[in-house]
Amino acid sequence: MATQSAGTAPQDSAGIAPQGVAEKEPKQRSVRVVLGALMIAMLLAMLDNMIIGTAMPTIVGELGGLEHLSWVVTAYTLATAASTPIWGKLGDMYGRKGTFLTSIVIFLIGSGLSGMAQDMGQLIGFRAIQGLGAGGLMVGVMAIIGDLIPPRERGKYQGMMAGVMALAMIGGPLVGGVITDHLNWRWTFYINLPLGILALIAVTAVLHLPKKRAQARIDYLGAALLTVGITAIVLVTTWGGTEYAWGSGQIIGLAVLGVVSLAAFIGWQTKAAEPILPLHIFRSRNFSLMAVIGFLVGFVMFGATLFLPLYQQSVQGASATNSGLLLLPMLLSMMVVSLVVGRITTNTGKYKIFPIVGGVLMIVGMFLLSTMDTGTSQVTSGVYMAVLGAGMGFLMQITMLVAQNSVEMKDMGVASSSATLFRTLGSSFGVAIMGALFNNRVLHEMASRGAAELQNAQLTPEQLKGLPAQAREAYEFAVSSGTHLAFLLGAGITVIALIAAFFVKEIPLKGAGPKPAEASAEGGDAPVESRDTRDKAAVAETV
């Protein structure tokens, strides 16, 4: 932590000296400006894959390399997952602001290069560069918010973050379609540049965090072991059942490599002078539980967002162009509930009930979705999605809030990156495992109904309407049967998250009220150094 020089007025984490009530409103305005810049960066990280997905057919048509199509997404995902913990640790060691700005610059360089790619190999390589930067965007946003705003006050901004997520999921496919149809697919990458530059300017001008100078060296061995382990595990979930059979030598070899590398990483972290992922943060029961819950929420959420549009397009005949709008009931519900939960958390300081209620609603929502068949209306499926979205709203931001509340300020970066990493890995596992179940069920049902020629077909709603009635009914039944199994698995997985939620210990949120020795002239927001001292006592209670 930065030390306070003699004769210098104490500063809060936004870099603004508390000088009485008159300074409170300017401070709040500057925090809002910083948060606006952070939300732009968060939007960049989340919007990218949503936009690119719509443009991929056009990209493949121009660059060729259809057999390498999956690597355009896989390279980005791998680089993001592998770099996430490293960015968090770098922020803790060398300062949040500089690290965050660096990640934005790398992301923008990768975006510009991707837009200039001349073949599929170049695009894959440039997407990996883009993914390296993206790994620091989400971590940087969460960690800086952790520095700027005490956990008790952080709930006010949950709705903002949920809104950005909803905007990315709804607007991404629409923006990608418009750009591809009316401009050029390269602008799906170039659109990041003005947004990123705007975020760079705002963060540079307004954000003033305490500078850090670390004496320790970066744990390069730990970083290498973690990168190899995460890469191998992500490749197993990405390739298993698609590129290679689950029992193939390639998948088994990758699984062994992943397990051995992660085991070696854990062993090394107990010896490293400045570990990439300090294992002591997992001694906090709340932090460990939030890591598990975050993994499971990622598993269910990304699986649901993958199969819901597929079901509505293939079975209910909805337009593929408006695929983002199909998720509107779920995303709006998630955003509204997240906003309400944040306000209640800020006003009361209570949060344990929310993961429990969220777990129950997610189980109910996934089970309801699993009951959908070829006769389910869009209104009914929209109600089911709203129930699932409400459950996500109770859980999405609370998991990060409690995770950050469970560690000291010096570990804010690694706590944020670890929580983000577990959610990312959960989404990778969810898409892979639910996808494997879905594909197997679809293939089985198509074969059993005499429509084997459509097993590997990717039919648009218009093409589906042109099929003979028997073939169309077989295809619709197979898709609804596959989504039934995938959503039923999601409901079962969420039961584990609900069980974990019951073991969360409600520890008072830091910054929940002024301490006699720490209260500032503004009414209770203590300087960074005092807050860190208070953090240590609160963290000790969670162990």
Side-chain angles (χ1 to χ4, degrees), residues 361-433:
L361 287 176
M362 284 189 68
I363 293 171
V364 173
M366 291 300 287
F367 177 76
L368 290 173
L369 291 173
S370 75
T371 66
M372 296 190 304
D373 55 26
T374 55
T376 304
S377 68
Q378 289 190 11
V379 174
T380 301
S381 60
V383 173
Y384 295 168
M385 283 191 287
V387 175
L388 176 63
M392 291 179 183
F394 278 103
L395 281 165
M396 283 299 296
Q397 304 303 331
I398 284 292
T399 53
M400 180 65 73
L401 175 64
V402 178
Q404 291 179 334
N405 192 60
S406 303
V407 300
E408 299 176 29
M409 287 291 290
K410 68 182 181 66
D411 292 322
M412 186 65 69
V414 293
S416 302
S417 64
S418 299
T420 304
L421 174 64
F422 278 101
R423 187 176 295 178
T424 301
L425 293 178
S427 67
S428 178
F429 275 80
V431 169
I433 296 174

Side-chain angles (χ1 to χ4, degrees), residues 170 324-333 385:
I170 296 171
L325 295 177
L326 301 176
L327 299 174
L328 195 57
M330 181 179 73
L331 297 174
L332 284 179
S333 175
M385 283 191 287

Side-chain angles (χ1 to χ4, degrees), residues 255-410:
V256 171
L257 175 63
V259 171
V260 170
S261 298
L262 292 178
F265 168 76
I266 292 173
W268 173 248
Q269 293 303 280
T270 63
K271 305 173 184 177
E274 194 65 39
I276 287 289
L277 186 60
L279 299 182
H280 68 261
I281 64 177
F282 291 96
R283 294 175 189 162
S284 164
R285 182 173 72 183
N286 276 5
F287 182 85
S288 298
L289 288 171
M290 288 304 111
V292 172
I293 293 174
F295 178 92
L296 298 174
V297 170
F299 187 109
V300 173
M301 186 182 78
F302 283 89
T305 54
L306 173 67
F307 292 109
L308 279 170
L310 177 62
Y311 167 84
Q312 291 193 306
Q313 291 174 37
S314 300
V315 179
Q316 295 179 330
S319 169
T321 305
N322 297 324
S323 57
L325 295 177
L326 301 176
L327 299 174
L328 195 57
M330 181 179 73
L331 297 174
L332 284 179
S333 175
M334 180 182 70
M335 182 173 63
V336 171
V337 171
S338 182
L339 179 61
V340 173
V341 167
R343 289 292 180 180
I344 294 174
T345 303
T346 298
N347 293 334
T348 68
K350 305 293 184 182
Y351 56 83
K352 179 174 180 176
I353 188 63
F354 298 135
I356 295 174
V357 174
V360 171
L361 287 176
M362 284 189 68
I363 293 171
V364 173
M366 291 300 287
F367 177 76
L368 290 173
L369 291 173
S370 75
T371 66
M372 296 190 304
D373 55 26
T374 55
T376 304
S377 68
Q378 289 190 11
V379 174
T380 301
S381 60
V383 173
Y384 295 168
M385 283 191 287
V387 175
L388 176 63
M392 291 179 183
F394 278 103
L395 281 165
M396 283 299 296
Q397 304 303 331
I398 284 292
T399 53
M400 180 65 73
L401 175 64
V402 178
Q404 291 179 334
N405 192 60
S406 303
V407 300
E408 299 176 29
M409 287 291 290
K410 68 182 181 66

